[in-house]
Amino acid sequence: MPPPLVCLLLLLFLLAVPRPSSVAAEVSRPGGKPHVFPLRARQVPAGVLPRPPSKLRFHHNVSLTVSLSVGTPPQNVTMVLDTGSELSWLLCAPGLQGGAARGESFRPRASATFAAVPCGSAQCRSRDLPAPPSCDGATRQCRVSQSYADGSTSDGTLATDVFRVGDAPPLRSAFGCMATAYDSSSDGVATAGLLGMNRGALSFVSQASTRSFSYCISDRDDAGVLLLGHSDLPFLPLNYTPLYQPTLPLPYFDRVAYSVQLLGIRVGGKPLPIPASVLAPDHTGAGQTMVDSGTQFTFLLGDAYSALKAEFLTQTRPILPALNDPNFAFQEAFDTCFRVPGGQSAPSARLPAVTLQFKGAEMVVAGDRLLYKVPGERRGGDGVWCLTFGNADMVPLTAYVIGHHHQMNVWVEYDLERGRVGLAPVKCDVASQRLGLML
């Protein structure tokens, strides 16, 4: 079973981002040698992670992080890596004396290569962002905003600077230089912002001309792997599912997300009686299925969640006593919960696997990934454990979201060149060894 929430798997993605004119062309070619990097576990304090409007409206303190340097001379920063967001942003200190000692903020005035984006720039006319950029009439600089989990917003300047990741050549990239700080604490890794990795024009992936990247999120704290470039590896029998894109623009469909087609769900091998219309986007675009590294657990829309909850409770009745507390929902959306005697772990090996079926591929969630121990929650001498599938309607959220907890020990490839996502079950520590990484 994973460790408690504040210590669950947090990955340090040591990316290598190429220039579009040189290394990017090399890693984009089929058969080109990919860049391979280890992943490391990191801790992010509770309550520090802002969520854009399309995200869940509650705090998560488990996120994937990437450490890199920005500016000239380089300033080290730690950013949340999010395949569900476009605009990268950094918390910018107001001057040279900003508190950046531990990577909490970026100091733009200390960087010789920092430049604000003017209102007339094409980057300021991006239509991919949830909140369109605006123009500051006084400075003629492009302004961007970001929404937080508590409903507040942070305004900032759209800017560019040099990003350096690993030993790769530097890349000039656009990002939001935000003015508002958020809570942090001394017992975790401070995060300076977010690295957007979706398919939007201003995402880090697009600006780096990266046409394929993949990762394996480990269930261990210190074993995982990230590849930038095509991962044509013989020991990875990937099954691919196509990225889904409606023919017409729809108001509630995120067209730059990594959306796939969810066709069905099985519990312990039994198909759930969910109509196909429930699993597909409706006429407004609501109901798409997104693969998202920026969300911890997986969320299903109400009808699908209710079917999963009913069948999972039925099959686990001989194994685990249900919590039966209608007033309790972990993180506001997880109410399929159980009682486990204190000091014991849930009987993971006996739990029925949950299989998400896609067109051409599937993802099996089994064992330790099915239940999560709620920190500090007890009923008498029992601990409380909840199913790691949440009810999106309770958040609320208008999409199916597959979080990184259910991507553990699954090789996930984002193939933008062919418009598909590849999935293969694999032990991440074994994959790391096969790739020559000593972790």
Side-chain angles (χ1 to χ4, degrees), residues 198-252:
N198 73 9
R199 297 186 290 163
L202 292 182
S203 77
F204 202 62
V205 170
S206 298
Q207 294 188 75
S209 297
T210 300
R211 303 304 298 158
S212 179
F213 67 97
S214 56
Y215 54 67
C216 191
I217 300 172
S218 179
D219 56 356
R220 288 172 43 194
D221 287 346
D222 60 352
V225 63
L226 169 76
L227 264 67
L228 279 185
H230 287 275
S231 54
D232 185 15
L233 303 171
F235 65 91
L236 284 176
L238 288 164
N239 291 315
Y240 289 95
T241 185
L243 290 171
Y244 177 77
Q245 192 78 18
T247 55
L248 297 174
L250 299 174
Y252 293 105

Side-chain angles (χ1 to χ4, degrees), residues 46-393:
V48 306
L49 303 179
R51 314 302 299 180
S54 61
K55 292 291 184 179
L56 309 177
R57 297 184 181 277
F58 53 84
H59 294 282
H60 285 291
N61 65 337
V62 174
S63 285
L64 312 182
T65 61
V66 52
S67 292
L68 62 158
S69 63
V70 181
T72 307
Q75 300 176 41
N76 295 328
V77 296
T78 299
M79 305 173 73
V80 173
L81 187 143
D82 191 354
T83 62
S85 292
E86 175 178 7
L87 182 65
S88 300
W89 60 266
L90 287 167
L91 176 63
C92 287
L96 295 178
Q97 302 305 315
R102 293 177 61 246
E104 295 93 335
S105 58
F106 172 69
R107 297 169 294 160
R109 295 183 185 179
S111 174
T113 48
F114 176 88
V117 172
C119 294
S121 169
Q123 294 170 321
C124 195
R125 297 191 295 271
S126 173
R127 294 185 294 180
D128 292 341
L129 301 176
S134 60
C135 182
D136 187 319
T139 64
R140 304 303 299 171
Q141 293 178 354
C142 188
R143 304 290 297 181
V144 291
S145 63
Q146 186 78 20
S147 295
Y148 290 82
D150 60 2
S152 64
T153 61
S154 172
D155 294 325
T157 302
L158 189 63
T160 65
D161 210 329
V162 174
F163 283 64
R164 297 175 178 85
V165 192
D167 297 326
L171 167 77
R172 177 166 284 276
S173 178
F175 66 100
C177 187
M178 314 305 273
T180 303
Y182 50 89
D183 293 337
S184 187
S185 66
S186 60
D187 60 351
V189 175
T191 55
L194 179 144
L195 195 68
M197 296 286 284
N198 73 9
R199 297 186 290 163
L202 292 182
S203 77
F204 202 62
V205 170
S206 298
Q207 294 188 75
S209 297
T210 300
R211 303 304 298 158
S212 179
F213 67 97
S214 56
Y215 54 67
C216 191
I217 300 172
S218 179
D219 56 356
R220 288 172 43 194
D221 287 346
D222 60 352
V225 63
L226 169 76
L227 264 67
L228 279 185
H230 287 275
S231 54
D232 185 15
L233 303 171
F235 65 91
L236 284 176
L238 288 164
N239 291 315
Y240 289 95
T241 185
L243 290 171
Y244 177 77
Q245 192 78 18
T247 55
L248 297 174
L250 299 174
Y252 293 105
F253 189 92
D254 186 348
R255 63 186 181 84
V256 294
Y258 296 104
S259 293
V260 295
Q261 292 177 275
L262 181 61
L263 301 181
I265 302 174
R266 299 194 306 267
V267 176
K270 180 179 179 179
L272 298 181
I274 305 173
S277 59
V278 171
L279 301 176
D282 64 18
H283 66 283
T284 70
Q288 70 187 108
T289 299
M290 300 183 289
V291 184
D292 185 4
S293 71
T295 297
Q296 181 183 359
F297 297 121
T298 293
F299 293 83
L300 306 178
L301 293 181
D303 290 345
Y305 176 80
S306 296
L308 172 63
K309 177 179 181 178
E311 185 60 32
F312 195 84
L313 286 172
T314 297
Q315 295 193 27
T316 56
R317 190 170 292 120
I319 306 172
L320 281 172
L323 181 63
N324 291 324
D325 183 351
N327 297 317
F328 178 77
F330 173 52
Q331 291 187 351
E332 302 179 28
F334 300 84
D335 64 352
T336 306
C337 301
F338 305 87
R339 299 175 63 139
V340 177
Q344 297 184 22
S345 296
S348 301
R350 300 169 60 194
L351 298 175
V354 176
T355 302
L356 304 177
Q357 299 170 272
F358 310 104
K359 184 178 180 180
E362 64 181 29
M363 179 181 291
V364 180
V365 181
D368 291 345
R369 291 182 292 158
L370 283 166
L371 295 185
Y372 188 79
K373 185 178 182 181
V374 180
E377 195 72 29
R378 299 190 68 83
R379 296 293 187 276
D382 297 336
V384 176
W385 296 63
C386 295
L387 182 65
T388 51
F389 289 84
N391 187 343
D393 291 3

Side-chain angles (χ1 to χ4, degrees), residues 17-36:
V17 180
R19 278 179 170 165
S21 60
S22 57
V23 183
E26 174 186 334
V27 299
S28 297
R29 290 197 310 266
K33 187 176 181 180
H35 296 269
V36 186

